[in-house]
Amino acid sequence: MTPPRRRRRRPQHLPAPPPPPPARPEGGSDSELRNLERLYTIAGPGDGGRAELDLVTLIVARSAPPPSASPEEAAVLRLCTAPLSVAELSAYLNLPFSAMTVLITELITAELVQARAPIVRQALPDRSLLEAVMHGLQRL
Amino acid sequence: MDFNGSDTIPGPRTEDHLPHTAQAAVKIVIVGGFGVGKTTMVGSVSEIRPLTTEETMTQAGIGIDDNYGSDSKTATTVAMDFGRISLTEKLVLYLFGTPGQERFWFLWNGLFEGALGAVVLVDARRLEVSFDVMGRLEERGVPFVVAVNSFPDAPRYPLEELRTALDLAPEIPIVDCDVRRRASSKDVLMTLMRFLHSLALSGALT
Ligand SMILES: Nc1nc2c(ncn2[C@@H]2O[C@H](COP(=O)(O)OP(=O)(O)OP(=O)(O)O)[C@@H](O)[C@H]2O)c(=O)[nH]1
Ligand SMILES: [Mg+2]
């Protein structure tokens, strides 16, 4: 029996994907947009490039929920007393990922949480990261 | 969800908390057609009970950008299973399994672009269900390895026949696995990491 056959595809030089439409619950104001812009520099990798919250950006609370916090914000702050990824927060709070990033963005702007940026493929500084992953897996 | 009850929102079990020293996370994506074992693989190696995150994709996300925000757009919910492995005190690995319609995975902002690499699971009884996703990874330059999951009655093709059928370059690893077994899933991940390491050594990864 012969298996079905596939044809390899070539790398495409795709244009950079457009930034995702901010999925805010209601229409946003200009000042909210400016806050978003500001966040991207704060949470960025430090090279001046715009960084977005990734599924695996780790979020850590910087303080207990202030009285002014909304119930959603208070929930995030309680969950993030230890570091948690945006994906985990989205799962535990049962919020879509993009809605979660909007909420976290506001918390970063309010300096209530800290974001620890992920290490992405393009930014691999050297082989030491890959080696650290391998050593970690070997110990499993 | 009623956030007024947020004191009772289920969070991680105490033993599932990451240490405060956790500084950064990396991710690997597990792909493959319908029913090839993606969820099983995430579950077998994860240290936490696998979780699900969702994203809503609208027409706007599919490349028509003039009707974002209109209520008439079609929206599709895409869910992903994921699990976690703490690698060191500082470094955490997340594994994402991508179910459902493949064309939507690639709209998930940053999912593949930021991943270290991908595992393509195949079922030798239905190789073709994993063809499309391999092509999409190639188009995007996402490095991947192929793992042949051990289903009963699956034909056992000789490796070179499989490589020819899948039209894979000689350097791309193909391994057998049984993703129900943690050790086997771990071996697949190690194969991917060794492959990525070899790419880094040869300068193919920047
Ligand atoms: N024999 C055998 N069965 C497996 C193996 N891996 C998964 N299965 C079974 O195959 C079925 C599908 O596995 P899933 O892990 O749900 O596959 P999936 O890729 O997540 O499926 P979708 O999300 O529906 O695309 C389940 O009934 C698994 O128990 C394997 O290695 N060997
Ligand atoms: Mg699944």
Side-chain angles (χ1 to χ4, degrees), chain A residues 3-6 8-9 12 52 54 56 72 78 81 88 90-93 96-98 116 119 121-122 127 131 137-139, chain B residues 3 6 10 20 22-23 25 27 52-55 84 87 94 109 112-113 115 128 132 138-139 161 164-167 186 197 201:
Chain A
R5 292 191 68 149
R6 182 184 86 96
R8 193 182 306 181
R9 296 190 209 159
Q12 291 178 356
E52 287 151 17
D54 188 276
V56 302
E72 292 93 330
R78 276 189 215 106
T81 48
E88 283 165 295
S90 148
Y92 287 127
L93 296 186
F97 174 65
S98 51
R116 300 181 179 172
I119 305 174
R121 186 168 78 251
Q122 289 89 335
R127 301 186 301 272
E131 284 159 11
L137 281 173
Q138 251 149 7
R139 280 200 306 270
Chain B
F3 286 101
S6 60
H20 276 275
Q23 281 301 331
K27 63 190 168 196
T52 303
T53 180
E54 285 188 352
E55 184 62 301
R84 191 184 82 193
L87 295 169
Y94 287 90
N109 198 55
F112 288 93
E113 285 72 16
E128 63 286 355
D132 186 53
E138 285 163 345
E139 285 169 358
E161 191 175 351
T164 307
L166 298 177
D167 196 14
K186 175 187 143 180
H197 194 256
L201 281 178

Short mmCIF file of all heavy atoms in Angstrom, two decimals, chain A residues 3-6 8-9 12 52 54 56 72 78 81 88 90-93 96-98 116 119 121-122 127 131 137-139, chain B residues 3 6 10 20 22-23 25 27 52-55 84 87 94 109 112-113 115 128 132 138-139 161 164-167 186 197 201:
data_model
loop_
_atom_site.label_atom_id
_atom_site.label_comp_id
_atom_site.label_asym_id
_atom_site.label_seq_id
_atom_site.Cartn_x
_atom_site.Cartn_y
_atom_site.Cartn_z
N PRO A 3 1.41 5.28 0.54
CA PRO A 3 0.78 6.41 1.25
C PRO A 3 0.41 7.53 0.28
O PRO A 3 1.00 7.65 -0.78
CB PRO A 3 1.87 6.85 2.22
CG PRO A 3 3.15 6.39 1.62
CD PRO A 3 2.84 5.16 0.82
N PRO A 4 -0.56 8.36 0.67
CA PRO A 4 -0.85 9.56 -0.11
C PRO A 4 0.34 10.50 -0.09
O PRO A 4 1.15 10.45 0.84
CB PRO A 4 -2.05 10.18 0.62
CG PRO A 4 -1.97 9.65 2.01
CD PRO A 4 -1.35 8.28 1.90
N ARG A 5 0.47 11.33 -1.11
CA ARG A 5 1.66 12.18 -1.21
C ARG A 5 1.34 13.65 -1.10
O ARG A 5 0.34 14.13 -1.57
CB ARG A 5 2.37 11.91 -2.53
CG ARG A 5 2.99 10.52 -2.55
CD ARG A 5 3.90 10.35 -3.72
NE ARG A 5 5.09 11.17 -3.60
CZ ARG A 5 6.26 10.80 -4.11
NH1 ARG A 5 6.38 9.66 -4.75
NH2 ARG A 5 7.30 11.60 -4.00
N ARG A 6 2.29 14.32 -0.49
CA ARG A 6 2.16 15.75 -0.24
C ARG A 6 3.20 16.49 -1.05
O ARG A 6 4.23 15.91 -1.40
CB ARG A 6 2.42 15.99 1.26
CG ARG A 6 2.29 17.40 1.74
CD ARG A 6 2.66 17.47 3.20
NE ARG A 6 4.10 17.65 3.38
CZ ARG A 6 4.69 18.84 3.56
NH1 ARG A 6 3.98 19.94 3.59
NH2 ARG A 6 6.00 18.93 3.71
N ARG A 8 5.75 19.69 -0.73
CA ARG A 8 6.33 20.69 0.17
C ARG A 8 5.97 22.11 -0.29
O ARG A 8 5.84 22.35 -1.47
CB ARG A 8 7.85 20.51 0.10
CG ARG A 8 8.65 21.19 1.15
CD ARG A 8 10.13 20.95 0.89
NE ARG A 8 10.49 19.52 0.77
CZ ARG A 8 11.72 19.09 0.57
NH1 ARG A 8 12.72 19.96 0.47
NH2 ARG A 8 11.98 17.81 0.48
N ARG A 9 5.83 23.03 0.64
CA ARG A 9 5.58 24.43 0.27
C ARG A 9 6.79 25.29 0.61
O ARG A 9 7.56 24.97 1.50
CB ARG A 9 4.33 24.98 0.97
CG ARG A 9 3.06 24.28 0.56
CD ARG A 9 1.85 25.01 1.08
NE ARG A 9 0.74 24.09 1.31
CZ ARG A 9 -0.29 24.34 2.12
NH1 ARG A 9 -0.35 25.48 2.77
NH2 ARG A 9 -1.25 23.45 2.27
N GLN A 12 6.94 31.76 2.53
CA GLN A 12 6.41 32.97 1.91
C GLN A 12 6.86 34.13 2.74
O GLN A 12 6.89 34.05 3.95
CB GLN A 12 4.87 32.94 1.89
CG GLN A 12 4.32 31.90 0.96
CD GLN A 12 2.80 31.88 1.01
OE1 GLN A 12 2.19 32.60 1.79
NE2 GLN A 12 2.22 31.07 0.16
N GLU A 52 3.25 42.94 22.12
CA GLU A 52 1.89 42.71 22.57
C GLU A 52 1.93 41.64 23.64
O GLU A 52 2.89 40.90 23.73
CB GLU A 52 1.04 42.23 21.39
CG GLU A 52 0.75 43.35 20.43
CD GLU A 52 0.57 42.84 19.02
OE1 GLU A 52 0.36 41.63 18.86
OE2 GLU A 52 0.65 43.66 18.10
N ASP A 54 1.47 38.28 24.94
CA ASP A 54 1.48 36.97 24.30
C ASP A 54 0.67 36.01 25.17
O ASP A 54 0.43 36.28 26.36
CB ASP A 54 2.94 36.52 24.21
CG ASP A 54 3.12 35.26 23.40
OD1 ASP A 54 2.95 34.15 23.96
OD2 ASP A 54 3.45 35.38 22.21
N VAL A 56 1.77 33.52 26.47
CA VAL A 56 2.62 33.05 27.56
C VAL A 56 3.38 34.17 28.26
O VAL A 56 4.34 33.91 28.98
CB VAL A 56 3.58 31.92 27.10
CG1 VAL A 56 2.78 30.76 26.53
CG2 VAL A 56 4.60 32.42 26.10
N GLU A 72 -13.66 41.98 37.92
CA GLU A 72 -12.76 41.23 37.03
C GLU A 72 -11.31 41.51 37.39
O GLU A 72 -10.48 40.62 37.43
CB GLU A 72 -12.97 41.64 35.56
CG GLU A 72 -14.28 41.25 34.96
CD GLU A 72 -15.32 42.36 35.09
OE1 GLU A 72 -15.24 43.14 36.07
OE2 GLU A 72 -16.20 42.42 34.22
N ARG A 78 -6.06 38.62 42.36
CA ARG A 78 -5.99 37.50 43.31
C ARG A 78 -5.31 36.29 42.70
O ARG A 78 -4.55 35.59 43.35
CB ARG A 78 -7.39 37.12 43.77
CG ARG A 78 -7.86 37.98 44.91
CD ARG A 78 -9.16 37.45 45.49
NE ARG A 78 -9.94 38.59 45.91
CZ ARG A 78 -10.99 39.04 45.26
NH1 ARG A 78 -11.45 38.40 44.20
NH2 ARG A 78 -11.61 40.12 45.68
N THR A 81 -1.13 36.35 42.38
CA THR A 81 -0.18 36.53 43.48
C THR A 81 1.08 35.72 43.19
O THR A 81 2.17 36.09 43.59
CB THR A 81 -0.81 36.10 44.82
OG1 THR A 81 -1.42 34.83 44.62
CG2 THR A 81 -1.88 37.10 45.26
N GLU A 88 -3.38 31.13 30.97
CA GLU A 88 -4.00 30.54 32.16
C GLU A 88 -5.07 31.46 32.75
O GLU A 88 -6.14 31.01 33.16
CB GLU A 88 -2.92 30.25 33.22
CG GLU A 88 -2.11 28.99 32.90
CD GLU A 88 -0.82 28.89 33.72
OE1 GLU A 88 0.06 29.77 33.53
OE2 GLU A 88 -0.70 27.97 34.53
N SER A 90 -6.86 33.58 31.12
CA SER A 90 -8.01 33.49 30.22
C SER A 90 -8.82 32.23 30.50
O SER A 90 -10.05 32.25 30.50
CB SER A 90 -7.48 33.53 28.78
OG SER A 90 -8.28 32.78 27.91
N ALA A 91 -8.12 31.14 30.77
CA ALA A 91 -8.81 29.87 31.04
C ALA A 91 -9.55 29.93 32.38
O ALA A 91 -10.72 29.57 32.47
CB ALA A 91 -7.81 28.72 31.03
N TYR A 92 -8.87 30.39 33.42
CA TYR A 92 -9.50 30.39 34.74
C TYR A 92 -10.66 31.37 34.82
O TYR A 92 -11.66 31.11 35.47
CB TYR A 92 -8.48 30.71 35.84
CG TYR A 92 -7.50 29.58 36.11
CD1 TYR A 92 -6.13 29.80 36.08
CD2 TYR A 92 -7.97 28.30 36.39
CE1 TYR A 92 -5.24 28.77 36.34
CE2 TYR A 92 -7.08 27.27 36.65
CZ TYR A 92 -5.72 27.51 36.62
OH TYR A 92 -4.84 26.49 36.86
N LEU A 93 -10.52 32.53 34.17
CA LEU A 93 -11.60 33.52 34.22
C LEU A 93 -12.63 33.30 33.11
O LEU A 93 -13.61 34.04 33.02
CB LEU A 93 -11.03 34.94 34.13
CG LEU A 93 -10.14 35.36 35.28
CD1 LEU A 93 -9.76 36.82 35.16
CD2 LEU A 93 -10.84 35.11 36.61
N PRO A 96 -12.32 35.26 26.68
CA PRO A 96 -11.52 35.09 25.47
C PRO A 96 -10.17 35.78 25.62
O PRO A 96 -10.05 36.78 26.33
CB PRO A 96 -12.35 35.77 24.38
CG PRO A 96 -13.73 35.85 24.92
CD PRO A 96 -13.60 35.92 26.43
N PHE A 97 -9.19 35.25 24.93
CA PHE A 97 -7.83 35.76 25.04
C PHE A 97 -7.75 37.27 24.81
O PHE A 97 -7.13 37.99 25.58
CB PHE A 97 -6.93 35.00 24.07
CG PHE A 97 -5.54 35.52 23.98
CD1 PHE A 97 -4.69 35.44 25.08
CD2 PHE A 97 -5.07 36.12 22.82
CE1 PHE A 97 -3.40 35.93 25.01
CE2 PHE A 97 -3.78 36.60 22.74
CZ PHE A 97 -2.95 36.51 23.84
N SER A 98 -8.37 37.76 23.75
CA SER A 98 -8.23 39.20 23.46
C SER A 98 -8.90 40.05 24.53
O SER A 98 -8.40 41.13 24.88
CB SER A 98 -8.76 39.54 22.07
OG SER A 98 -10.04 39.02 21.90
N ARG A 116 5.90 39.88 32.50
CA ARG A 116 7.24 39.34 32.20
C ARG A 116 7.19 38.77 30.79
O ARG A 116 6.54 37.74 30.55
CB ARG A 116 7.63 38.27 33.21
CG ARG A 116 7.64 38.85 34.63
CD ARG A 116 8.03 37.83 35.67
NE ARG A 116 8.05 38.47 36.99
CZ ARG A 116 8.20 37.82 38.13
NH1 ARG A 116 8.37 36.51 38.12
NH2 ARG A 116 8.21 38.47 39.28
N ILE A 119 9.91 34.69 25.75
CA ILE A 119 11.04 34.62 24.83
C ILE A 119 10.52 34.02 23.54
O ILE A 119 10.01 32.90 23.54
CB ILE A 119 12.16 33.74 25.40
CG1 ILE A 119 12.56 34.26 26.79
CG2 ILE A 119 13.36 33.74 24.48
CD1 ILE A 119 13.55 33.37 27.50
N ARG A 121 10.77 33.11 19.25
CA ARG A 121 11.77 32.52 18.37
C ARG A 121 12.68 33.56 17.74
O ARG A 121 13.88 33.40 17.68
CB ARG A 121 11.10 31.67 17.30
CG ARG A 121 12.07 30.91 16.44
CD ARG A 121 11.40 29.87 15.59
NE ARG A 121 10.75 30.43 14.44
CZ ARG A 121 9.44 30.52 14.29
NH1 ARG A 121 8.65 30.07 15.22
NH2 ARG A 121 8.92 31.04 13.22
N GLN A 122 12.08 34.63 17.24
CA GLN A 122 12.89 35.63 16.54
C GLN A 122 13.94 36.26 17.44
O GLN A 122 14.94 36.75 16.97
CB GLN A 122 12.00 36.75 15.98
CG GLN A 122 11.15 36.32 14.82
CD GLN A 122 9.81 35.76 15.27
OE1 GLN A 122 9.69 35.28 16.39
NE2 GLN A 122 8.83 35.80 14.41
N ARG A 127 22.16 29.86 21.78
CA ARG A 127 21.68 28.49 21.98
C ARG A 127 21.39 28.18 23.43
O ARG A 127 20.85 27.14 23.75
CB ARG A 127 22.73 27.51 21.46
CG ARG A 127 23.05 27.70 19.99
CD ARG A 127 23.98 26.61 19.51
NE ARG A 127 25.22 26.59 20.26
CZ ARG A 127 26.31 27.30 19.94
NH1 ARG A 127 26.28 28.07 18.87
NH2 ARG A 127 27.39 27.23 20.66
N GLU A 131 19.22 25.09 25.10
CA GLU A 131 19.86 24.12 26.00
C GLU A 131 19.15 24.08 27.35
O GLU A 131 18.95 23.00 27.93
CB GLU A 131 21.35 24.45 26.14
CG GLU A 131 22.12 24.02 24.89
CD GLU A 131 23.46 24.72 24.69
OE1 GLU A 131 23.93 25.41 25.62
OE2 GLU A 131 24.03 24.57 23.59
N LEU A 137 13.65 19.55 30.17
CA LEU A 137 12.85 18.40 29.72
C LEU A 137 13.48 17.08 30.15
O LEU A 137 12.78 16.13 30.52
CB LEU A 137 12.73 18.41 28.18
CG LEU A 137 11.70 19.37 27.58
CD1 LEU A 137 11.82 19.37 26.05
CD2 LEU A 137 10.28 19.00 28.00
N GLN A 138 14.81 17.03 30.10
CA GLN A 138 15.49 15.80 30.47
C GLN A 138 15.20 15.40 31.91
O GLN A 138 15.16 14.23 32.24
CB GLN A 138 17.01 15.96 30.28
CG GLN A 138 17.51 15.17 29.09
CD GLN A 138 18.70 15.84 28.43
OE1 GLN A 138 19.23 16.83 28.93
NE2 GLN A 138 19.11 15.31 27.29
N ARG A 139 15.02 16.40 32.74
CA ARG A 139 14.76 16.10 34.15
C ARG A 139 13.34 15.64 34.42
O ARG A 139 13.03 15.22 35.53
CB ARG A 139 15.04 17.35 35.00
CG ARG A 139 16.52 17.55 35.28
CD ARG A 139 16.69 18.45 36.49
NE ARG A 139 15.98 19.71 36.32
CZ ARG A 139 16.52 20.78 35.77
NH1 ARG A 139 17.76 20.76 35.36
NH2 ARG A 139 15.82 21.88 35.63
N PHE B 3 -18.48 37.88 38.18
CA PHE B 3 -17.22 38.18 38.85
C PHE B 3 -17.40 38.65 40.28
O PHE B 3 -16.46 38.79 41.01
CB PHE B 3 -16.44 39.21 38.05
CG PHE B 3 -15.85 38.62 36.81
CD1 PHE B 3 -16.44 38.81 35.59
CD2 PHE B 3 -14.71 37.85 36.91
CE1 PHE B 3 -15.89 38.24 34.46
CE2 PHE B 3 -14.16 37.27 35.77
CZ PHE B 3 -14.76 37.47 34.55
N SER B 6 -15.88 36.55 42.78
CA SER B 6 -14.52 36.26 42.37
C SER B 6 -13.67 35.65 43.48
O SER B 6 -12.61 35.11 43.20
CB SER B 6 -13.85 37.53 41.84
OG SER B 6 -13.82 38.51 42.84
N PRO B 10 -12.26 29.63 40.35
CA PRO B 10 -11.29 28.55 40.45
C PRO B 10 -9.95 28.99 39.89
O PRO B 10 -9.89 29.52 38.79
CB PRO B 10 -11.91 27.44 39.62
CG PRO B 10 -12.85 28.12 38.68
CD PRO B 10 -13.31 29.38 39.36
N HIS B 20 7.91 32.36 42.37
CA HIS B 20 8.05 33.79 42.05
C HIS B 20 9.27 34.07 41.19
O HIS B 20 9.36 35.12 40.56
CB HIS B 20 8.09 34.61 43.34
CG HIS B 20 6.71 34.89 43.83
ND1 HIS B 20 5.96 35.96 43.38
CD2 HIS B 20 5.91 34.19 44.67
CE1 HIS B 20 4.76 35.91 43.93
NE2 HIS B 20 4.70 34.86 44.72
N ALA B 22 9.93 32.61 38.50
CA ALA B 22 9.62 32.38 37.07
C ALA B 22 9.74 33.70 36.32
O ALA B 22 9.04 34.65 36.61
CB ALA B 22 8.23 31.78 36.93
N GLN B 23 10.66 33.74 35.38
CA GLN B 23 10.95 35.00 34.69
C GLN B 23 10.40 35.04 33.27
O GLN B 23 10.08 36.10 32.77
CB GLN B 23 12.48 35.19 34.60
CG GLN B 23 13.11 35.69 35.86
CD GLN B 23 12.53 37.03 36.29
OE1 GLN B 23 12.08 37.82 35.47
NE2 GLN B 23 12.50 37.26 37.59
N ALA B 25 8.67 32.65 29.72
CA ALA B 25 8.05 31.43 29.22
C ALA B 25 8.34 31.28 27.74
O ALA B 25 8.56 32.26 27.03
CB ALA B 25 6.55 31.47 29.46
N LYS B 27 7.03 28.69 24.23
CA LYS B 27 5.92 27.82 23.85
C LYS B 27 6.26 26.97 22.65
O LYS B 27 7.07 27.35 21.80
CB LYS B 27 4.63 28.62 23.62
CG LYS B 27 4.74 29.59 22.49
CD LYS B 27 3.54 30.54 22.43
CE LYS B 27 3.91 31.63 21.44
NZ LYS B 27 3.11 32.80 21.49
N THR B 52 -8.11 25.31 28.82
CA THR B 52 -8.53 25.73 27.49
C THR B 52 -8.64 27.23 27.44
O THR B 52 -9.20 27.85 28.35
CB THR B 52 -9.91 25.11 27.15
OG1 THR B 52 -9.80 23.70 27.27
CG2 THR B 52 -10.32 25.46 25.73
N THR B 53 -8.07 27.83 26.41
CA THR B 53 -8.27 29.25 26.18
C THR B 53 -8.98 29.40 24.85
O THR B 53 -8.87 28.55 23.98
CB THR B 53 -6.94 30.03 26.21
OG1 THR B 53 -7.21 31.42 25.97
CG2 THR B 53 -5.96 29.54 25.18
N GLU B 54 -9.73 30.47 24.72
CA GLU B 54 -10.53 30.68 23.52
C GLU B 54 -10.22 32.03 22.91
O GLU B 54 -9.83 32.96 23.61
CB GLU B 54 -12.02 30.69 23.87
CG GLU B 54 -12.58 29.35 24.14
CD GLU B 54 -14.09 29.40 24.28
OE1 GLU B 54 -14.68 30.49 24.31
OE2 GLU B 54 -14.67 28.31 24.37
N GLU B 55 -10.42 32.11 21.63
CA GLU B 55 -10.35 33.41 20.96
C GLU B 55 -11.49 33.48 19.97
O GLU B 55 -11.89 32.45 19.40
CB GLU B 55 -9.00 33.56 20.24
CG GLU B 55 -8.77 34.90 19.59
CD GLU B 55 -8.77 36.08 20.56
OE1 GLU B 55 -9.79 36.28 21.26
OE2 GLU B 55 -7.76 36.78 20.62
N ARG B 84 1.43 22.87 30.77
CA ARG B 84 2.59 23.62 31.24
C ARG B 84 3.63 22.67 31.81
O ARG B 84 3.28 21.66 32.43
CB ARG B 84 2.12 24.58 32.32
CG ARG B 84 3.12 25.61 32.75
CD ARG B 84 2.56 26.43 33.89
NE ARG B 84 2.73 25.72 35.16
CZ ARG B 84 2.11 26.07 36.30
NH1 ARG B 84 1.28 27.09 36.33
NH2 ARG B 84 2.32 25.38 37.39
N LEU B 87 10.43 24.25 33.63
CA LEU B 87 11.72 23.70 33.21
C LEU B 87 12.80 23.96 34.25
O LEU B 87 13.60 23.10 34.56
CB LEU B 87 12.12 24.30 31.87
CG LEU B 87 11.20 23.93 30.70
CD1 LEU B 87 11.53 24.78 29.48
CD2 LEU B 87 11.33 22.44 30.37
N TYR B 94 5.19 26.21 27.79
CA TYR B 94 3.76 25.96 27.56
C TYR B 94 3.61 25.20 26.25
O TYR B 94 4.32 25.48 25.27
CB TYR B 94 2.97 27.27 27.50
CG TYR B 94 2.80 27.92 28.85
CD1 TYR B 94 3.73 28.83 29.33
CD2 TYR B 94 1.71 27.61 29.65
CE1 TYR B 94 3.58 29.41 30.59
CE2 TYR B 94 1.54 28.19 30.91
CZ TYR B 94 2.47 29.08 31.36
OH TYR B 94 2.32 29.66 32.60
N ASN B 109 -3.04 35.58 16.85
CA ASN B 109 -1.88 36.45 16.82
C ASN B 109 -0.71 35.93 17.64
O ASN B 109 -0.84 35.70 18.83
CB ASN B 109 -2.33 37.81 17.35
CG ASN B 109 -1.37 38.89 16.98
OD1 ASN B 109 -1.07 39.06 15.80
ND2 ASN B 109 -0.86 39.57 17.96
N PHE B 112 2.07 31.08 16.42
CA PHE B 112 3.14 30.37 15.73
C PHE B 112 4.40 31.21 15.63
O PHE B 112 5.50 30.70 15.77
CB PHE B 112 2.69 29.95 14.34
CG PHE B 112 1.70 28.83 14.39
CD1 PHE B 112 0.34 29.08 14.41
CD2 PHE B 112 2.12 27.52 14.46
CE1 PHE B 112 -0.58 28.05 14.48
CE2 PHE B 112 1.21 26.48 14.54
CZ PHE B 112 -0.14 26.74 14.55
N GLU B 113 4.22 32.49 15.40
CA GLU B 113 5.38 33.36 15.22
C GLU B 113 6.27 33.32 16.45
O GLU B 113 7.48 33.32 16.34
CB GLU B 113 4.92 34.80 14.95
CG GLU B 113 4.38 35.01 13.55
CD GLU B 113 3.02 34.37 13.30
OE1 GLU B 113 2.34 34.01 14.29
OE2 GLU B 113 2.65 34.19 12.14
N ALA B 115 6.38 30.89 18.72
CA ALA B 115 6.69 29.55 19.24
C ALA B 115 8.12 29.16 18.90
O ALA B 115 8.65 29.55 17.86
CB ALA B 115 5.71 28.53 18.67
N GLU B 128 -3.03 12.27 5.20
CA GLU B 128 -3.42 13.50 4.50
C GLU B 128 -4.08 14.53 5.41
O GLU B 128 -4.07 15.71 5.09
CB GLU B 128 -4.31 13.18 3.29
CG GLU B 128 -5.66 12.52 3.61
CD GLU B 128 -5.57 11.03 4.01
OE1 GLU B 128 -4.47 10.45 3.97
OE2 GLU B 128 -6.62 10.47 4.38
N ASP B 132 -2.13 19.81 5.28
CA ASP B 132 -2.33 21.25 5.15
C ASP B 132 -1.52 22.02 6.19
O ASP B 132 -0.85 23.01 5.88
CB ASP B 132 -3.82 21.61 5.28
CG ASP B 132 -4.05 23.08 5.02
OD1 ASP B 132 -3.61 23.56 3.95
OD2 ASP B 132 -4.61 23.77 5.88
N GLU B 138 5.49 25.49 6.81
CA GLU B 138 6.58 25.77 5.87
C GLU B 138 6.48 27.19 5.32
O GLU B 138 7.48 27.91 5.24
CB GLU B 138 6.54 24.76 4.72
CG GLU B 138 7.05 23.39 5.13
CD GLU B 138 6.66 22.27 4.17
OE1 GLU B 138 5.76 22.46 3.33
OE2 GLU B 138 7.25 21.19 4.27
N GLU B 139 5.26 27.59 4.97
CA GLU B 139 5.08 28.94 4.43
C GLU B 139 5.52 30.00 5.43
O GLU B 139 6.03 31.05 5.05
CB GLU B 139 3.62 29.17 4.07
CG GLU B 139 3.21 28.46 2.80
CD GLU B 139 1.70 28.47 2.57
OE1 GLU B 139 0.95 29.00 3.43
OE2 GLU B 139 1.26 27.94 1.55
N GLU B 161 9.95 5.82 2.93
CA GLU B 161 8.71 5.94 2.18
C GLU B 161 7.84 7.07 2.76
O GLU B 161 7.23 7.86 2.03
CB GLU B 161 7.95 4.61 2.22
CG GLU B 161 6.79 4.55 1.26
CD GLU B 161 6.12 3.17 1.22
OE1 GLU B 161 6.67 2.22 1.82
OE2 GLU B 161 5.06 3.07 0.61
N THR B 164 9.31 10.43 1.82
CA THR B 164 8.97 10.77 0.44
C THR B 164 7.51 11.21 0.34
O THR B 164 7.19 12.21 -0.30
CB THR B 164 9.20 9.54 -0.47
OG1 THR B 164 10.54 9.09 -0.26
CG2 THR B 164 9.00 9.89 -1.93
N ALA B 165 6.64 10.45 1.00
CA ALA B 165 5.22 10.77 0.93
C ALA B 165 4.95 12.16 1.51
O ALA B 165 4.16 12.93 0.97
CB ALA B 165 4.41 9.72 1.69
N LEU B 166 5.63 12.47 2.61
CA LEU B 166 5.40 13.76 3.26
C LEU B 166 6.25 14.87 2.63
O LEU B 166 6.13 16.02 3.01
CB LEU B 166 5.71 13.66 4.77
CG LEU B 166 4.82 12.68 5.54
CD1 LEU B 166 5.25 12.60 7.00
CD2 LEU B 166 3.35 13.08 5.45
N ASP B 167 7.10 14.48 1.68
CA ASP B 167 7.99 15.42 1.00
C ASP B 167 8.78 16.26 2.01
O ASP B 167 8.78 17.50 1.95
CB ASP B 167 7.20 16.32 0.04
CG ASP B 167 8.12 17.02 -0.97
OD1 ASP B 167 9.29 16.60 -1.09
OD2 ASP B 167 7.67 17.97 -1.61
N LYS B 186 7.51 13.12 25.85
CA LYS B 186 8.73 13.85 26.22
C LYS B 186 9.82 13.63 25.16
O LYS B 186 10.52 14.57 24.78
CB LYS B 186 9.20 13.36 27.60
CG LYS B 186 10.51 13.95 28.06
CD LYS B 186 10.98 13.29 29.34
CE LYS B 186 12.49 13.14 29.33
NZ LYS B 186 13.01 12.50 30.53
N HIS B 197 18.08 23.00 18.07
CA HIS B 197 19.46 23.26 18.47
C HIS B 197 20.39 23.11 17.26
O HIS B 197 21.28 23.93 17.04
CB HIS B 197 19.84 22.30 19.59
CG HIS B 197 21.09 22.68 20.32
ND1 HIS B 197 22.29 22.03 20.11
CD2 HIS B 197 21.33 23.64 21.24
CE1 HIS B 197 23.21 22.59 20.88
NE2 HIS B 197 22.65 23.55 21.58
N LEU B 201 22.78 25.87 15.62
CA LEU B 201 24.22 25.66 15.39
C LEU B 201 24.59 25.97 13.96
O LEU B 201 25.65 26.52 13.68
CB LEU B 201 24.59 24.20 15.68
CG LEU B 201 24.75 23.80 17.14
CD1 LEU B 201 25.06 22.32 17.22
CD2 LEU B 201 25.84 24.63 17.80
#
